[in-house]
Amino acid sequence: MSNKKITQHIITDEALHAQAAIPYQEFLELKQELLEKQRAMEERLWLDSNLSKFDEVIRLNYDKDMATFAEVILEYLSQIIQAVHGAFFVVDNDEEVITAVAGYACTVKTMEKSRFLFGEGLVGQAVKSQKLINVDNIPTRLDSSLAHLSNASLVVSPFIFNQMVYGVLELTTLERLPNKYIDLINRCSQSLATALQSIINNQKTKTLLQESMQQSEELRTQSEEIRQNLEELQAIQEDMHRKELELTGLVQALDSTLAMIEFDLSGHILNANQKFLEVMDYNISEIKGKHHRMFVETNYAKSEEYKEFWEKLGRGVPQISSEFQRYGRNGKEVWLTASYTPVIDNNGDPYKIVKLAIDVSERKKALFDFENQMEAIDKSFAVIEFALDSTILKANDNFLNTVGYQLDEVVGKKHRIFVTPEHAESETYQNLWDNLRKGEFQRGEFPRIHKNGKEIWISGSYNPIFDSNGKLYKIVKFVVDITHLKEKTNKKSPVAID
């Protein structure tokens, strides 16, 4: 049967030769040439088809992270060439380091070696020489990422674009690879180079964008802190609430609203706005170049506290939202609510001090007058404060001496400890507190009970106290002891209100 087929084949060739009318040997050579061209065409079609599929794999996975992208590429190529092991490396040309990011039939952690320097091992040599390396029948362990495999075939292909290596592909098979597979790997490596360059550039762009966003967030946070500090400073002014403004608008608003002066780090005056000059009653030519100590009391200017104040500012430590006593022209006393803020340069070092201030001299004067008046009242009257439910909040010494109690014996107790039990249950007593809770002022002479049980008489008033919103929140009682007057007249005065 076999001989018959051979005979028929020979006849067919001879028949073809006869038709061709050329020498038989030339005919055989022509036939062989045609067969080789056919095989070359088939291999080219196979190569083009697989390259087209490979480009599609790249396109579909282009936007994934590096490790995922590398795993997909490894698996696709390993299946085509029937590899038993593979590794995908990325090249850091700045550090001259080659690092594995994915593996086939292994992980980066289980690789024999996952990091190479340029020129180190076959992976490093492929990068250094920028050439594909193919080693067949490996007899012993090589310096690569693969585990020990006897008689294996190894291909190490660098990804080259514009004479720059961006990555390396290492594949291991149990049999020697045909040339068409080597060509496929080489061509795929070229496509991978451009893809990897784009991925790396995209990652760098993403990193730069993230850094830029982080810096923007830090600047936004710093801007918010400055805005909050300024709001705290401006909150001292009645009904002044400011929103965050653009930097130029904020500087203009500050200059027209606040007294502002600038110093060098040692305390010498650099500049001051008109508001500050008006408050201190100076011209700019009279203070520029002089030291801040011209605004403070002489002894304070010589103190360690004053020295430390400027040392802290020189180190960049702000002095914020405090009240300072200062002196203008001819010893004019001025009270300022102010902040001393170090201004930082691009290197993070302070280079000048900016003081923002509000003149609170009139408010301070009114506060001193009020405190003096309250001190006089405290010395002259017995004073006690109650919550709206008659719970005692506090009392001064005059009141405690009048009723014979210590402060801790009355705070938290009810007012009724100063009256008889019968009177505490009376309608008159209930009306007293009902009217007070309505915000009605009560005045008169009242009998009360001393701690020792004796009756005493006081004259004074119960005063409802309202908060800034007009809401009643406590009762303050001002009285004087008139027991001695009652004893002299030896009769009871009628009680107006109790």
Side-chain angles (χ1 to χ4, degrees), residues 200-467:
I200 292 172
N201 288 339
N202 288 341
Q203 287 181 340
K204 289 181 178 179
T205 302
K206 184 177 180 181
T207 300
L208 290 174
L209 180 60
Q210 289 175 341
E211 290 175 353
S212 177
M213 291 176 64
Q214 182 178 356
Q215 291 174 355
S216 296
E217 179 62 20
E218 290 174 354
L219 289 174
R220 189 199 66 80
T221 301
Q222 292 175 1
S223 177
E224 179 65 16
E225 290 175 354
I226 293 173
R227 185 187 67 82
Q228 291 176 357
N229 289 338
L230 291 173
E231 282 185 349
E232 290 176 5
L233 184 62
Q234 295 163 357
I236 299 171
Q237 294 180 305
E238 186 176 7
D239 299 327
M240 183 172 288
H241 301 283
R242 305 190 64 87
K243 296 180 180 180
E244 186 176 10
L245 302 174
E246 296 295 333
L247 184 58
T248 55
L250 180 59
V251 171
Q252 293 174 357
L254 286 175
D255 189 61
S256 62
T257 305
L258 302 177
M260 182 165 58
I261 185 169
E262 298 181 9
F263 304 92
D264 64 18
L265 298 184
S266 64
H268 291 88
I269 299 166
L270 301 174
N271 200 4
N273 72 352
Q274 190 60 35
K275 279 280 186 183
F276 184 87
L277 297 172
E278 290 174 0
V279 170
M280 306 304 290
D281 197 21
Y282 280 110
N283 296 317
I284 186 62
S285 60
E286 295 176 300
I287 65 172
K288 192 170 185 178
K290 294 185 179 180
H291 196 273
H292 172 271
R293 67 172 63 93
M294 68 180 292
F295 302 128
V296 303
E297 193 268 331
T298 304
N299 290 334
Y300 176 62
K302 297 178 180 178
S303 67
E304 285 297 319
E305 180 183 356
Y306 185 72
K307 180 181 178 182
E308 184 180 356
F309 176 83
W310 279 102
E311 286 178 350
K312 286 182 178 179
L313 289 173
R315 296 196 302 269
V317 180
Q319 306 294 312
I320 296 178
S321 296
S322 296
E323 287 190 349
F324 301 96
Q325 183 184 29
R326 297 292 182 253
Y327 296 93
R329 184 191 295 274
N330 298 325
K332 171 187 173 183
E333 185 180 46
V334 178
W335 280 91
L336 300 173
T337 296
S339 68
Y340 290 77
T341 304
V343 180
I344 309 303
D345 63 17
N346 293 333
N347 297 320
D349 299 321
Y351 68 96
K352 70 177 179 178
I353 309 298
V354 174
K355 175 183 178 179
L356 301 176
I358 298 173
D359 182 7
V360 294
S361 300
E362 292 301 320
R363 183 180 66 80
K364 195 72 173 179
K365 181 180 178 181
L367 180 61
F368 285 151
D369 289 343
F370 175 76
E371 289 175 348
N372 290 334
Q373 291 174 20
M374 291 305 298
E375 184 178 355
I377 290 173
D378 190 62
K379 291 178 180 178
S380 303
F381 289 88
V383 184
I384 185 168
E385 296 183 12
F386 303 94
L388 299 184
D389 64 353
S390 81
T391 300
I392 300 167
L393 301 175
K394 64 180 180 178
N396 72 355
D397 291 339
N398 285 342
F399 187 89
L400 295 171
N401 292 333
T402 300
V403 295
Y405 286 97
Q406 298 294 322
L407 183 61
D408 59 358
E409 294 178 302
V410 298
V411 171
K413 304 288 181 62
K414 300 289 186 179
H415 172 272
R416 64 176 56 222
I417 68 173
F418 303 128
V419 301
T420 63
E422 295 79 14
H423 184 64
E425 299 299 328
S426 69
E427 184 177 353
T428 301
Y429 186 75
Q430 295 302 321
N431 289 338
L432 170 69
W433 282 98
D434 287 343
N435 291 333
L436 288 172
R437 280 188 281 270
K438 293 176 184 177
E440 297 178 3
F441 171 84
Q442 304 293 311
R443 180 173 183 157
E445 295 179 353
F446 310 96
R448 292 293 180 255
I449 304 301
H450 192 277
K451 179 181 178 182
N452 61 17
K454 293 182 179 181
E455 184 181 65
I456 60 173
W457 280 85
I458 57 176
S459 175
S461 61
Y462 291 82
N463 302 272
I465 305 299
F466 299 86
D467 62 18

Side-chain angles (χ1 to χ4, degrees), residues 123-175:
V123 173
Q125 183 59 38
V127 173
K128 182 179 180 180
S129 64
Q130 298 191 4
K131 294 180 180 179
L132 183 145
I133 298 176
N134 183 17
V135 181
D136 294 326
N137 299 320
I138 301 172
T140 58
R141 179 183 178 279
L142 293 176
D143 193 9
S144 71
S145 67
L146 56 80
H148 182 67
L149 293 172
S150 298
N151 299 320
S153 180
L154 175 68
V155 176
V156 182
S157 178
F159 311 152
I160 304 170
F161 180 73
N162 287 340
Q163 298 183 341
M164 179 77 74
V165 180
Y166 290 92
V168 180
L169 185 69
E170 179 185 85
L171 294 170
T172 307
T173 60
L174 295 179
E175 297 180 355

Side-chain angles (χ1 to χ4, degrees), residues 9-220:
H9 179 72
I10 294 173
I11 292 172
T12 300
D13 281 351
E14 289 175 347
L16 289 172
H17 167 245
Q19 294 176 5
I22 58 176
Y24 184 68
Q25 184 61 36
E26 185 178 345
F27 168 76
L28 292 178
E29 290 176 355
L30 178 62
K31 177 184 176 183
Q32 184 63 30
E33 181 181 351
L34 290 174
L35 290 174
E36 289 177 357
K37 286 183 178 181
Q38 182 179 359
R39 282 195 298 271
M41 178 66 71
E42 289 174 352
E43 288 185 2
R44 185 161 58 251
L45 291 174
W46 177 87
L47 180 62
D48 291 343
S49 174
N50 279 287
L51 284 174
S52 177
K53 293 177 182 178
F54 184 72
D55 288 341
E56 181 67 10
V57 171
I58 291 178
R59 187 186 67 80
L60 293 175
N61 295 275
Y62 179 76
D63 58 347
K64 296 181 180 178
D65 62 88
M66 182 66 75
T68 304
F69 175 80
E71 288 176 355
V72 171
I73 297 301
L74 269 177
E75 183 173 0
Y76 180 80
L77 290 176
S78 296
Q79 290 177 353
I80 290 178
I81 70 170
Q82 297 182 344
V84 295
H85 174 277
F88 193 108
F89 296 85
V90 173
V91 176
D92 185 339
N93 286 285
D94 294 331
E95 300 294 330
E96 296 192 351
V97 173
I98 311 157
T99 305
V101 295
Y104 179 77
C106 66
T107 66
V108 174
K109 291 183 179 180
T110 60
M111 290 180 184
E112 287 274 319
K113 190 168 184 177
S114 61
R115 187 175 184 273
F116 296 88
L117 300 177
F118 283 19
E120 180 183 10
L122 294 181
V123 173
Q125 183 59 38
V127 173
K128 182 179 180 180
S129 64
Q130 298 191 4
K131 294 180 180 179
L132 183 145
I133 298 176
N134 183 17
V135 181
D136 294 326
N137 299 320
I138 301 172
T140 58
R141 179 183 178 279
L142 293 176
D143 193 9
S144 71
S145 67
L146 56 80
H148 182 67
L149 293 172
S150 298
N151 299 320
S153 180
L154 175 68
V155 176
V156 182
S157 178
F159 311 152
I160 304 170
F161 180 73
N162 287 340
Q163 298 183 341
M164 179 77 74
V165 180
Y166 290 92
V168 180
L169 185 69
E170 179 185 85
L171 294 170
T172 307
T173 60
L174 295 179
E175 297 180 355
R176 184 180 184 276
L177 283 176
N179 289 335
K180 70 176 184 178
Y181 288 108
I182 300 295
D183 290 342
L184 176 63
I185 293 172
N186 198 26
R187 294 281 295 278
C188 287
S189 296
Q190 296 174 16
S191 298
L192 281 173
T194 57
L196 207 58
Q197 182 205 32
S198 297
I199 292 174
I200 292 172
N201 288 339
N202 288 341
Q203 287 181 340
K204 289 181 178 179
T205 302
K206 184 177 180 181
T207 300
L208 290 174
L209 180 60
Q210 289 175 341
E211 290 175 353
S212 177
M213 291 176 64
Q214 182 178 356
Q215 291 174 355
S216 296
E217 179 62 20
E218 290 174 354
L219 289 174
R220 189 199 66 80

